[in-house]
Amino acid sequence: MAKKRQLDAKRIVVKVGTSTLIHPNGKVNFHAIDQLCYVLTGLVNDGKQVVLVSSGAIGVGMGQVGLHERPESIPAQQALAAIGQSGLMSVYQQRFSLYGQRIGQILLTHDVLEYPLSRQNALNTFNSLLEWGVIPIVNENDTVAVDEMDHHTKFGDNDQLSAIVSSIVDADLLVMLSDIDGFFDKNPRKYSDAKLFERITKIDEKALEAAGGKGSKFGTGGMMTKLKAAQRMLENDKMMILANGQDPAIIFDLVKGEPLGTLFVKEEK
């Protein structure tokens, strides 16, 4: 059995994907959200500073308007995000308030963090909220974010956003919850003998090959985007854990150092 990890993380960013928050039928997973709010409140009560990067706005929007398939049209996706973001925050507000935890909303676009002044303003906001014991809930501002020629405002995905936010706030640990148990040497949905990596110390060609190569998908979430996020964390000499978010209570065990999921951390010198 693998030994417990020595993490000693004070400032933690938690990223949850749509698969954790939304049932396969498109309905909101209230149990998962309730568990998530309970756990993150527990971390704050334990003296941790927590930032939540939350997907799910478009998924919630689809449920509210009765769509079963995500539309390909960008304006339609942005409209769904506008509907779903307020709905998602309403659920978070309700659930967090049950545990006496205050929250704040931060919607970001890439260009905000590209310019030094607006980047510093964003950091000041994060720091104020965290010092007050408030959990900032972060998402991309999907209603206005686009990628057109020189108008680059999109992060690309919330995996990248969570790593960028972790870098800005100088988080010790990024906990990335997905619909898979961690990083494997090959796709565990296709190969029963797939091996879970307990620890990864560098993102090399071998790791990229295991993720399926550039531009490919790994399971239902893009593993390449998760490796890029891990690469950013390693470059900043910080840690990331990729784990299954089916039961968000796993966060308690991860923060305590239980050897679950895959830990991305630089090799000790």
Side-chain angles (χ1 to χ4, degrees), residues 16 30 53 64 79 97 101 103 141 145 153 159 196 202 211 218 221 245 250-251 253 257 265:
V16 290
F30 289 106
V53 176
Q64 290 192 357
S97 66
Q101 176 60 48
I103 61 173
N141 193 351
T153 65
D159 292 339
L196 174 70
K202 62 181 177 179
F218 188 92
I250 193 176
I251 298 171
D253 293 329
V265 62

Side-chain angles (χ1 to χ4, degrees), residues 71-229:
E72 294 183 5
S73 159
I74 297 298
Q77 291 182 19
Q78 291 179 318
L80 287 173
I83 296 168
Q85 188 64 39
S86 59
L88 184 61
M89 286 303 297
S90 293
V91 175
Y92 276 132
Q93 183 67 55
Q94 180 193 44
R95 288 303 194 266
F96 271 116
S97 66
L98 288 175
Y99 303 110
Q101 176 60 48
R102 293 167 297 159
I103 61 173
Q105 182 180 33
I106 298 180
L107 296 177
L108 295 172
T109 51
H110 201 289
D111 53 347
V112 168
L113 303 182
E114 284 290 305
Y115 296 103
L117 182 58
S118 56
R119 181 188 177 99
Q120 185 61 48
N121 288 337
L123 174 59
N124 293 342
T125 301
F126 275 113
N127 282 336
S128 293
L129 291 171
L130 293 172
E131 286 168 9
W132 293 342
V134 177
I135 295 178
I137 300 181
V138 185
N139 196 2
E140 182 164 3
N141 193 351
D142 290 316
T143 57
V144 299
V146 294
D147 245 343
E148 294 177 353
M149 298 174 66
D150 61 341
H151 191 51
H152 180 59
T153 65
K154 283 186 69 65
F155 294 97
D157 56 79
N158 274 358
D159 292 339
Q160 299 308 303
L161 174 59
S162 65
I164 292 170
V165 167
S166 297
S167 173
I168 289 169
V169 304
D170 197 27
D172 305 304
L173 173 67
L174 168 58
V175 175
M176 189 173 292
L177 299 184
S178 184
D179 58 355
I180 200 160
D181 292 342
F183 182 52
F184 290 78
D185 61 347
K186 49 189 169 183
N187 193 336
R189 304 190 197 284
K190 292 183 178 179
Y191 304 98
S192 59
D193 62 340
K195 176 188 173 185
L196 174 70
F197 291 107
E198 193 271 329
R199 178 185 294 250
I200 295 286
T201 57
K202 62 181 177 179
I203 309 299
D204 53 16
E205 288 300 318
K206 182 179 178 182
L208 294 173
E209 185 179 344
K214 292 182 179 179
S216 68
K217 293 293 184 181
F218 188 92
T220 58
M223 187 55 71
M224 288 297 291
T225 65
K226 292 168 176 54
L227 284 190
K228 288 178 182 177

